Structures are given as C-alpha cells and as structure tokens.
Amino acid sequence: MKITNRDIARLFYEIAAYLEMQAVPFKPRAYEKVAEVIENLNEEAGLIYERGGSKALGEIPGVGVSIAEKIEELLRTGSLKYYKELKKKTPVDLNSFRGIEGLGAKSIAKLYRALNVKNIADLEKAALSHKIRAVESFGEKSEENILKGIEFVKKSSGRFVLGFVMPLVREIESRLRGLKEVDKIVVAGSVRRRKETIGDIDILVISKKPNAVMDFFVAMPEVARVYAHGETKSAIKLNNGLDVDLRVVGQESYGAALNYFTGSKEHNVALREMAIKRRLKLNEYGLFKKKSNREMRIACKTEEELYDALGLAYIEPELRENNGEIEAAILKDANKKSNLPKLVGYGDLYGDLQIQSNWTDGANSIEEMAKTARGLGLEYIAITDHTKRLAMTHGLDDERIKDQWKEIDAVNSKFKSTNGNKKFKILKGTECDILKDGSLDLSDSVLSRLDVVGVSVHSYFNLSRKEQTERIKRAMENPHVDILFHPTGRIIKKREAYDIDIDDIIRSAKKTGTILEIDAYPDRLDLKDEYVRKCVDAGVKLTIDSDAHSVSHLAYIEYGISQARRGWATREDIVNAWPFEKMLQYFKR
Ligand code: DGT
Ligand code: CA
Ligand code: CA
Ligand code: ZN
C-alpha cells in the first residue's frame, strides 16, 4: 500500500475534525494547516523521507517533531495509532460520510457539536427538519445539497463490501439466534450468495412468537431508523447506513421462503418458469400442485426438497445467478446425477500464499503471522513481502530478502521443535514488483532460490490495454514466476481495474503454467467471479490468498473461497487446496 500526500492530508484533516468534535483548543487548526501544506507539496513525502529520513520531514514548513514522527509512522506502517485512538474515542465515523459531496470533515465536526449528528441517518433527519440551515456557516442551500448528496450516496455507493460488514451481520444473527422465541434463523439474500458487495441484509426467522422477535429487532442499539414494524415483516436502517429486512415465516414454508429470499431474483424467475412447465406453482409460501380445484402444498420444508421436486440437484447459493446453474442441476433420470461442479469447500485450503510481514508494510512479524495461520488450521504460509520498487513499504532488495530467509529458517526450526507431530512450514516467497517494461524487481538468481514467486503490478496503471497486457505477459514468461497476484488491480468502490485483455492473460497463463490469484482481501476479490470461471473453463490453475497485512486479515481467506465458488471452481482448480507436495510440483522449476 503506497501512502501518498493526499492520503496523509486526508488523515490530518480527519484528525483535526475529531479534535474539534472533542472541543480541543488550537490543535485542530494546527493539523489543518499541516494538511494544507502536505497537500500542496511538490514532492511526495515518501520520497522526502527516503532521501533524508524523519529529519527531512521535519524541515517541511509547519511540520514539527511530533508531526514528522506521525508521517514517518504512516509511511512505514500504512496506519497511525494516534488517529485510530481518536477515532475510537469519538462516536462519529467520518468515513461513513464519505461520498456526500461538499461535506468535509470540518463541516461534520460542526454539525456534531451543534446538532449531535453522528451518522448519515442523523444528518438526513436534521436536514429534513431544517435544523442545518440554523447552524453557523450553513444555509438553505447547503441543506439542499446535503439532501441531494444523501440521495446520491443511497443510489450509487449504497452497497457495502461483504467482508467488511460480515462481522456485524454475524453479530446480529447470533443475537437473534439467542432469543428463545427464534426456532431457526438464516441470513438470506446476497449475503447468503456471498456477493462481493451487498445492498442490504435479509434475515429469515422461523418462530411461533414473531412479535417478541420483531420487538427485539427494532430496538437493537445500532438501529437508526425503523421503516416497518410488523408481525411478519420489519425493516430497519442501522447507524452505519445499512438496511436490514427481517421476515418471520412458519415451518411449513421454510424451504420455499428461504429459496425465495436467497435469490437471486433472476434465479427465482427461472425456477418459477420451471415450476410452471411442470404444472406447479412456486412462490415464497411454497410449491403447489392443483388437484381438482384445490391447491396442495408439495413438501418443501427444506430447499433440497424444493429443488428435488423440480427435478434438480441442490444448487449452492453462490451459484444462484441464473448463469447456467439450473441447466447444470437437471437430474438425469437413471442415476440422479447432475452436471453441477463440486465446489471447493470452506475448509479445503491447506495454506496461504500471499502474506506481508513487518519486513515491509505488514503490521506483524513472520512468527506472529505463522502462529495465527497455524491457529486457523493452515499447514503452511508463504511470506511474500514487497520489493524495492515499492519504496514506501520499504520493499526488499536482493540483499535484504536474503536476510529475511535467515529469519524464516529460524522460525521454521522453532516450529519443528515446539510443534511435535503437526508440521507447519513457512515458505520463502515474494510479491515481486512488475516494472513498467514487464521485467522484475529482483534478480533471477534470487528468484530462483525462492520457494514461491508471486508478481504484481503496483504502478503505471494507465498504460494502454496493449502495453499493460504485454507487460504482464512478459512477467509471466519469466521461468521463475509461479503466481500472478491480484491480476486486475481493481479495488472495489475505490479503483477500477487497469485496462488489460483478460482472455489474452488467461491464454498466456495457460501457456506458461502461471497460476492466477484470487486475492481474498474483501475489497479486492481480484479475480472477479466471471474471470474465475474463465480460468476454470480454460484449465488455468488458481490460488486463494488472504493478502494479509496483519494477523487479523488472515481470516479474510474465507471471502476468496466464496469468490472461487461463485466462479464455479472445484478443489482441482485451486492449488492451495491440493496436498502440499502436489502443489510444489506444480510450481515452475
Ligand atoms: P442486494 O440486496 O441488492 O445485494 O441483492 P439481493 O439479492 O439480496 O436482493 P434484495 O435484498 O432486493 O432481495 C432479496 C431476495 O428477495 C432476492 O435475492 C430475491 C427476492 N426478491 C426480491 N424481489 C424480488 C422480485 O421482484 N421477484 C422475485 N422473484 N424475487 C425477488
Ligand atoms: Ca439483500
Ligand atoms: Ca432486501
Ligand atoms: Zn500487492
């Protein structure tokens, strides 16, 4: 992760706003001034630091020792403790307001102090009741603009990255599961289909006492707004802006309701048409057959029964997009088999092949990463720190990476002695930068001594399609290169993929035996599902890696598995779902 002057400035503006909310005197203005200076520097602070260390940073006008230290911490670690602590102490999440045009951190601080506005829902309420125009330096016009901004955010960027909101989803789910009135609960909708981003959360509950469940639901502490509070259906908005729908159904229609509310809409429509062809009727209440003039419910307490009644094998939620899964699920008479793939499972991975340590921009040591990975049930990890081209991260060169090997050897030998029968291994790897011309940022002789070589693009995102594709192909042609990491470079809701000919890349991966990565980091999920499926069809092998920069990120690997499943990948397609020796043999020699 490269820290730019813009990143630094934005963080300092936020610090100023948080200090302002806490009514700290003078300091907010000081931070704002520094932010302005950094924003307008002619040279990247990262380069200044490279050249002259924190002393050179201190020579920037307005930057004292303490600020220089903060910039240094940011450049070196990618984050800032002081900022995190401030953020924790303040009940306002500035990030949640991002996207509302013209409403900067400073304005939010003002609205918080004047009107106790803590989130977008509060903001909308204040604007609708015309309280904002009364606040100093705001007017009718700004009130209108705020409402327009909220509308825009709702429409365009109202979707949430699944992996980032999943902890909250699970928290709400387990709270509801704990109620004695709840017999069964499932989170359906796009969450169950494990889409990259979700529009809202759809929860389905079976209960004989729905009122108690609903009363609890609408009174949860995170609720910012209640849209509906009924016996079978309630809907709320959480204070982070995310909507939650809750439905309560009876046991008899559980399978049909779960199927309906899981979607996708396109999958549902296609299923309903299949039902009609079989002279059946399918809706959220059940599957029905007309007999004389009565409608009879066909057994569908579970989804399995429902699919079976339609002549289909059970379809995993990740496949339900009407992209051919229904055709593939048709049961062939004799043996009741279908053409659906057996998807790679959530517990199928043996290791993780992209992990950063504190040798570069990771937060934790090699040993800490390894221990956490082992705790998650993995048998190996590869340490793949950045290389020197990524100066901001203190990328490794030919010499420093050799020093790193000594540490890996030392930690590996500890694992042997302390871990008795169950072996755990750290592989020597790299996330080697692909330079502009497709050459690599480490020498061939170093690359040849690594256990696993990953390569990736971190610069020149704007090359023409032809140049970018050729550049990456050239890197894949290097005989030491095993994996192309995060192949398209997109960051969900932040950055478009760079322009490449993906079919050409996949052909070249096939030809050179290069593995393509599914980067599991929640806002990367790169490759996307459609491309995963292209690889599966082409016989190009994949790896699923966390791209962890701290121990807490290692668990993100789950979202990569979802992505693989949505791309129809089986265990055969994923090299780190193979036994270790088989995977090693597949790497280029
Ligand atoms: P999202 O929330 O935008 O990420 O996507 P979903 O798929 O969760 O969509 P949502 O929340 O609007 O609806 C939840 C499920 O309810 C959806 O997956 C399928 C079902 N559903 C909603 N509207 C319709 C509809 O008009 N027709 C049919 N057949 N099903 C629908
Ligand atoms: Ca939904
Ligand atoms: Ca919904
Ligand atoms: Zn990277």
Side-chain angles (χ1 to χ4, degrees), residues 159 188-191 193 195 197-202 245 259-266 268-269 272:
R159 300 188 67 79
S190 49
V191 173
R193 304 200 312 283
K195 296 283 284 184
T197 63
I198 58 165
D200 70 352
I201 308 175
D202 304 281
D245 288 344
N259 191 250
Y260 181 89
F261 291 113
T262 297
S264 66
K265 199 169 153 183
E266 292 72 18
N268 291 355
V269 168
R272 205 176 311 142

Side-chain angles (χ1 to χ4, degrees), residues 199 433 448 528:
D433 231 67
S448 72
K528 65 175 173 181

Side-chain angles (χ1 to χ4, degrees), residues 162-163 166-167 170 194 520 522 525 555-563:
L162 178 70
M166 208 57 197
R170 288 185 169 139
R194 312 282 299 191
L525 295 181
Y556 285 154
I557 206 136
E558 153 191 3
Y559 302 100
I561 300 174
S562 297
Q563 192 80 347

Side-chain angles (χ1 to χ4, degrees), residues 267-432:
H267 179 84
N268 291 355
V269 168
L271 281 187
R272 205 176 311 142
E273 282 167 6
M274 274 205 85
I276 291 169
K277 277 192 199 133
R278 296 181 159 237
R279 297 174 177 281
L280 300 170
K281 187 175 106 186
L282 176 63
N283 59 29
E284 59 203 276
Y285 305 104
L287 183 65
F288 301 92
K289 190 182 217 162
K290 264 220 165 109
K291 230 180 188 174
S292 48
N293 15 359
R294 278 185 48 213
E295 273 190 347
M296 306 258 300
R297 191 193 296 272
I298 295 180
C300 48
K301 280 192 181 147
T302 65
E303 289 193 310
E304 283 82 356
E305 287 176 4
L306 174 67
Y307 282 110
D308 194 60
L310 293 173
L312 300 174
Y314 176 75
I315 301 175
E316 298 284 356
E318 291 93 331
L319 297 182
R320 300 184 195 170
E321 302 293 339
N322 196 25
N323 279 331
E325 75 279 9
I326 294 178
E327 293 76 358
I330 292 173
L331 293 170
K332 289 171 263 173
D333 289 337
N335 48 14
K336 284 235 158 192
K337 281 217 166 112
S338 80
N339 290 331
L340 281 176
K342 184 167 174 358
L343 301 180
V344 58
Y346 283 97
D348 279 355
L349 297 188
Y350 293 109
D352 189 335
L353 294 171
Q354 196 200 153
I355 284 173
Q356 270 69 235
S357 76
N358 60 4
W359 279 73
T360 59
D361 60 347
N364 294 96
S365 68
I366 293 173
E367 183 166 358
E368 286 162 344
M369 296 306 270
K371 281 187 169 156
T372 307
R374 191 182 58 178
L376 291 171
L378 297 182
E379 292 176 9
Y380 62 86
I381 58 170
I383 293 296
T384 56
D385 275 302
H386 289 293
T387 54
K388 60 184 184 294
R389 168 65 183 67
L390 270 188
M392 307 309 156
T393 70
H394 267 230
L396 307 181
D397 58 20
D398 275 11
E399 294 315 307
R400 274 185 76 219
I401 199 167
K402 288 179 194 160
D403 292 339
Q404 186 182 56
W405 297 345
K406 290 180 205 144
E407 184 173 325
I408 292 178
D409 288 336
V411 179
N412 265 334
S413 62
K414 263 200 236 177
F415 273 118
K416 262 183 206 130
S417 54
T418 58
N419 194 30
N421 42 12
K422 202 178 171 199
K423 55 184 188 309
F424 183 91
K425 197 170 161 52
I426 304 167
L427 302 179
K428 294 168 186 157
T430 176
E431 175 174 9
C432 186

Side-chain angles (χ1 to χ4, degrees), residues 15 184 239 286 398 405 467 532:
I15 288 174
K184 211 180 237 181
N239 54 23
D398 275 11
W405 297 345
E467 272 177 297
V532 170

Side-chain angles (χ1 to χ4, degrees), residues 153-184:
V153 166
K154 275 189 190 160
K155 259 194 293 182
S156 62
S157 55
R159 300 188 67 79
F160 290 70
V161 173
L162 178 70
F164 294 153
V165 291
M166 208 57 197
L168 177 63
V169 174
R170 288 185 169 139
E171 161 71 25
I172 292 175
E173 180 185 9
S174 85
R175 249 187 245 160
L176 289 169
R177 176 168 292 128
L179 297 180
K180 61 179 187 307
E181 294 85 0
V182 169
D183 298 331
K184 211 180 237 181

